[in-house]
Amino acid sequence: MIRKIEWVILILISMIVGHGCSNDDNVIANSGGPYAGMQANYVNSVYSDNLGEFIVSVYYEAGAEPYTGPIGLTANDTWTITRTSLQSLFMNHVGRVVTVPSGLAAMSALPNQNKTTWTQEQLLNLAKANAPLSTPTEIAVGVYFVNGTLNGDANILGVQFLGYPYAFIFKDVVVAAGGDGATQRYVEQSVVVHEIGHAIGLVNNGLPMVSGHEDAAHPKHSINQDCVMYWAVENRQNILTTLANFIAGNRLNLFGPQSLDDGRSYHP
Ligand SMILES: [Zn+2]
């Protein structure tokens, strides 16, 4: 039985561990508590050489369907961006299969939740009620596409909460970022990869860094502007500038060299 005061403390802790920045990041670096332990356990499982398959499970509310199909500039499939990025990160995890869906038929439709704004608790409740199954040899991360915004913030494109293997994408904010079909696909995919990146421990979020590349002004984000873990990837006002090189180069792996080093080097 948890007493009222303990709930208050838990709520206060949970308010400071979210990753979802607008212009600032509200994450307290190296915050301890149960969430850091949950995060460490998940990250160690993900980078273990015993893991045979890493699965991206996608869920979407009616009205918040992810983009699929050809990116537009090339014949590349939209979700090849997430798949290639993760395959690049796990390149030294020999034999590992990375499973990412391509079309809506391989994703799970959820009823419209009829929300214009979401709290952290509401998002986590949605994810927990529709969580992918993991086993010791197959671990999944859940990606949830929802309508509306995080706490009314029209600039936050996505969020991940420390300790939970879930990534949330705010479709209305993706659409509001603008751009043509190819640009929109790059915006959405880069937010997916960024939030999965947080969930699986990048940058100093449970995964040890080979070289220091954490942005002191934006904890848990890379100082490398040419890496998807750069803070501005989460922000509607900054994302188009940040992604210009990715789009022009038709890049499929969005992680920068420092992040790739971190993922390839960790074998707990
Ligand atoms: Zn972030």
Side-chain angles (χ1 to χ4, degrees):
M1 186 71 181
I2 299 179
R3 288 169 300 158
K4 191 174 179 183
I5 182 67
E6 288 164 336
W7 275 117
V8 171
I9 292 169
L10 280 175
I11 290 166
L12 285 173
I13 291 171
S14 66
M15 286 171 71
I16 60 174
V17 295
H19 285 285
C21 33
S22 44
N23 290 313
D24 210 349
D25 200 306
N26 58 357
V27 174
I28 293 181
N30 301 317
S31 55
Y35 299 96
M38 289 160 61
Q39 180 79 16
N41 288 340
Y42 182 72
V43 169
N44 284 339
S45 302
V46 166
Y47 293 91
S48 165
D49 284 316
N50 294 326
L51 182 67
E53 184 174 6
F54 183 77
I55 304 167
V56 176
S57 296
V58 180
Y59 303 79
Y60 61 90
E61 256 192 293
E65 290 81 358
Y67 292 120
T68 57
I71 295 170
L73 298 169
T74 67
N76 291 325
D77 182 76
T78 300
W79 285 82
T80 301
I81 295 173
T82 294
R83 186 178 305 113
T84 304
S85 297
L86 291 170
Q87 285 173 338
S88 301
L89 188 73
F90 296 136
M91 195 183 76
N92 288 355
H93 290 76
V94 179
R96 172 170 304 190
V97 174
V98 174
T99 300
V100 177
S102 295
L104 292 183
M107 305 176 188
S108 303
L110 302 175
N112 190 320
Q113 305 294 305
N114 300 310
K115 285 186 168 51
T116 54
T117 67
W118 292 82
T119 64
Q120 172 178 335
E121 183 184 20
Q122 289 168 337
L123 288 169
L124 287 175
N125 284 342
L126 178 74
K128 289 172 185 170
N130 300 280
L133 295 177
S134 291
T135 70
T137 55
E138 299 176 356
I139 287 188
V141 63
V143 180
Y144 300 83
F145 284 77
V146 297
N147 301 307
T149 63
L150 178 64
N151 298 320
D153 191 325
N155 287 325
I156 297 177
L157 288 154
V159 70
Q160 182 265 343
F161 301 109
L162 184 68
Y164 293 96
Y166 311 132
F168 300 95
I169 314 299
F170 300 98
K171 183 73 187 194
D172 294 339
V173 185
V174 170
V175 171
D180 61 16
T183 301
Q184 275 280 289
R185 282 169 167 78
Y186 261 93
V187 168
E188 190 164 281
Q189 286 289 299
S190 65
V191 179
V192 169
V193 177
H194 182 109
E195 302 308 336
I196 292 175
H198 280 315
I200 61 177
L202 296 158
V203 169
N204 195 26
N205 200 37
L207 176 64
M209 292 185 292
V210 174
S211 62
H213 63 108
E214 186 176 19
D215 181 349
H218 303 281
K220 313 305 180 189
H221 293 96
S222 180
I223 53 173
N224 185 354
Q225 295 192 31
D226 207 32
C227 174
V228 73
M229 296 314 293
Y230 189 63
W231 69 272
V233 168
E234 267 169 337
N235 187 291
R236 178 180 66 87
Q237 293 181 315
N238 305 79
I239 191 166
L240 294 189
T241 319
T242 308
L243 294 184
N245 287 342
F246 292 23
I247 298 171
N250 298 320
R251 277 177 58 178
L252 296 178
N253 161 53
L254 305 186
F255 289 119
Q258 300 92 343
S259 290
L260 290 177
D261 260 2
D262 296 346
R264 291 172 181 177
S265 301
Y266 195 49
H267 300 267

